[in-house]
Structure formats: structure tokens, C-alpha cells
Amino acid sequence: MTRRYEAGPPARSGTDANQRYSRATMTNRRHVAVLVLPGVLPLELGAATQIFAMDPHYELAVCGDTDTGLVPGCGFAITVAAGLEALDDAGTVIIPGYDDIDATPSAELLAALRAAHARGARLVSICTAAFALAAAGLLDGRPATTHWRHAEQLRQRYPHVDVLPNQLYVDDGDILTSAGVTAGIDLCLHLIRTDLGAAAANAHARDLVAPPRRRGGQAQFIEQFRPEASGVELAPLREWMLDNLAKPLTVDHLAERARMSRRTLIRRFHEETGAPPMTWLTDARIDRARELLEATTVPIEQIGRLTGLGAPASLRAAFHRHLGTSPQEYRTLFRHKDEMADA
């Protein structure tokens, strides 16, 4: 089941966590430092700086440990106005995503992030900047998200992070993480709503021509839910499953078809896909339902039957669990490409 994290104190127990949250509430969170890493993604940098620079309630500094130089593929360079000392007075540190997630941020930058967090600053990552927070050890044992394309890499590289790949953003109190650029805008508006109230956030949303509120628990619209397989032994079975989604399949049916015991099938399926067979099957059914909603006019009442997700009520429940929205809302957002082209 998808977990949802919203505004408020961290859901933690113990003296250290309570002291950290107390320090955070005393910190002036309206002193915002946007921390620019090499290879910064310009849309995310622009969104974060514009949103807080246009609000007189915030004091903004753009900083980094070095000038970033040329932005990859963009033909321009970025020069920061301040060094890492700008983090000393920041109550909120926002880190836009950056291009090379395999590059480890400098030791000085990681130390500055740890020190800011220890002082009670609120740390915010957009997209791949979650890798910088994880490299600093600040996400260990905590829920976090990033762009869905990089979620599995974040999980593998930092196994102590509770990666939630479907979330638009995750608010864990003093550390907040988001997916790509539009989710970063959602998170920035969420910060303003937390600091200044709904009216202020709505005013910013109108200026940006953006939705006033998309809750963090609403899912990223990832390319596909079912995980890619790393093994081939059960590939024929998975292809058969994709061709027979509408059938009432069970583990016993699948084991019989694969000519394996139930236990062996479950073990080998998990080894090849990272998921149990019925979980993989449900994800595949959701993927197929999304395809039908995006590219066809098949009535929603029939999609559950065609995909094996069941009656319309079951289809709606599955979509809310996986995507945080309804099939009708999903179709409205992702209607047929020809219709989009004609609009």
C-alpha cells in the first residue's frame, strides 16, 4: 500500500528526533539558500529561485562550493553569488537536481549539509538531488523519493533509505524530497503553504499557472509499474501472463504452467524480477489499463474486465492505491495523442 507523508513534525520518537525538530521550528525558515551543484538542471534551479525570489516574505541566496561552469547540453554557464557560508544562516536549504548522479559531491559540501541539518535547517531536494542528501547520510532510515527513472539506483546505492518511487514528494518534517521539476514546484508551493498558509500558496500557483495543490501522495506517472527482469528462465511465462491478463490467474496456475513447485516458482520469479509473481501480475495489469486509458476509447467499465483488475470498483481501488487518482482522472490527463494534437 502506498504510504503518504504530509506536512508536520517528523513521525519519529526519541529525544534526538524531538530536539532536532525543536531546533528546526526555531530556525528562520524564510532564509532560503538554493544550493547549486555541478551539472545543475536549469529548469529545477529556475523554479526554486523564481518561486522564493518573487515572495517578499523570503530572503534568498544562491550558493555553491564552486561555480558550476557550463550546464550540460544548454550552451550557458551558471555563476553562483555565494559560497557554502550562505548555508550558515539558512533555515531552508533547497538543492535542485543535477545531471551526473554518479559524481559524489565534495566533502566540504556534504559536511555543510550535515552541519545545516544539525543546526535545524529544513533540507529540500528536487529530483536527483536526493542522491546528495543520501551521500551525506541524511536519508538513512528515512522515507524519500526522486525521479522515477532513478529510484531503483537510489535504492541500490543507499539501501538504508526508504525509497518511495511513486510519490510526487515526501515531507518527513525537517527533510523533504521530490520527483522531477513539476513535482519540485509542487513541493515549493507546499513549503509556502506550510510557512505562510494556503492563500499565499494559491497566489503563487496562479502566478505560475500551476495547480494550487497536488498532494505528495499522488503518484508520479511512471513509465511502467512492473519491474524489468534480470533473468530469462521465466521470460516465456511472463510473456504468457502479459497475453492472458484477463484470466483469473493464481500462483498455482503459474507454477503448473512453468512446471515448477509453487515455492520454486515464487523464489525464481522474485530472483528474476525482484517481485513476487502476483505483485508483478497486478503491476502488469495496471500498466495495461493505463495503456487502454491513454490510447483508446474503451469504456472504463470494460477496462477492469479486459485487464483482469475486476469490476469498476476494484479498478478504481487499484488506481487509487497505485496512482493516487481515478481511472477517469487518469484518462483526462493522458487522453489519446491524436486528440492532444488536434486541441
Side-chain angles (χ1 to χ4, degrees), residues 29-41:
R29 288 183 162 180
R30 299 185 192 178
H31 286 196
V32 177
V34 176
L35 179 58
V36 181
L37 275 63
V40 65
L41 301 175

Side-chain angles (χ1 to χ4, degrees), residues 78-94:
I78 294 175
T79 301
V80 296
L84 294 178
E85 69 278 0
L87 301 187
D88 294 343
D89 298 321
T92 298
V93 179
I94 301 176

Side-chain angles (χ1 to χ4, degrees), residues 98-139:
Y98 52 95
D99 182 63
D100 187 3
I101 59 175
D102 293 323
T104 302
S106 69
E108 292 79 10
L109 188 146
L110 296 179
L113 284 175
R114 296 186 194 105
H117 183 248
R119 287 193 301 271
R122 175 174 59 183
L123 304 186
V124 181
S125 72
I126 301 176
C127 194
T128 53
F131 283 81
L133 293 179
L138 296 173
L139 294 183

Side-chain angles (χ1 to χ4, degrees), residues 55-238:
D55 192 317
H57 297 95
Y58 290 92
E59 179 180 338
L60 180 70
V62 179
C63 63
D65 59 345
T66 59
D67 286 341
T68 64
L70 286 173
V71 178
C74 294
F76 59 82
I78 294 175
T79 301
V80 296
L84 294 178
E85 69 278 0
L87 301 187
D88 294 343
D89 298 321
T92 298
V93 179
I94 301 176
I95 316 169
Y98 52 95
D99 182 63
D100 187 3
I101 59 175
D102 293 323
T104 302
S106 69
E108 292 79 10
L109 188 146
L110 296 179
L113 284 175
R114 296 186 194 105
H117 183 248
R119 287 193 301 271
R122 175 174 59 183
L123 304 186
V124 181
S125 72
I126 301 176
C127 194
T128 53
F131 283 81
L133 293 179
L138 296 173
L139 294 183
D140 287 355
R142 306 186 71 144
T145 194
T146 187
H147 192 288
W148 61 266
R149 289 188 185 277
H150 305 292
E152 185 58 31
Q153 190 170 353
L154 181 64
R155 178 184 287 115
Q156 292 180 2
R157 189 178 302 177
Y158 302 103
H160 297 298
V161 180
D162 181 12
V163 180
L164 305 177
N166 297 339
Q167 307 291 279
L168 291 179
Y169 60 82
V170 174
D171 180 344
D172 197 35
D174 55 346
I175 295 183
L176 303 91
T177 55
S178 75
V181 60
T182 56
I185 293 173
D186 292 327
L187 181 50
C188 289
L189 292 174
H190 172 71
L191 295 175
I192 292 172
R193 186 178 299 106
T194 301
D195 295 344
L196 305 176
N202 292 344
H204 278 279
R206 283 192 292 270
D207 288 340
L208 295 166
V209 197
R213 181 167 188 172
R214 293 194 299 168
R215 295 174 67 88
Q218 181 173 330
Q220 298 183 51
F221 294 114
I222 64 178
E223 198 165 52
Q224 69 176 34
F225 277 101
R226 66 181 187 275
E228 295 291 346
S230 58
V232 299
E233 181 183 2
L234 293 176
L237 176 65
R238 290 191 295 272

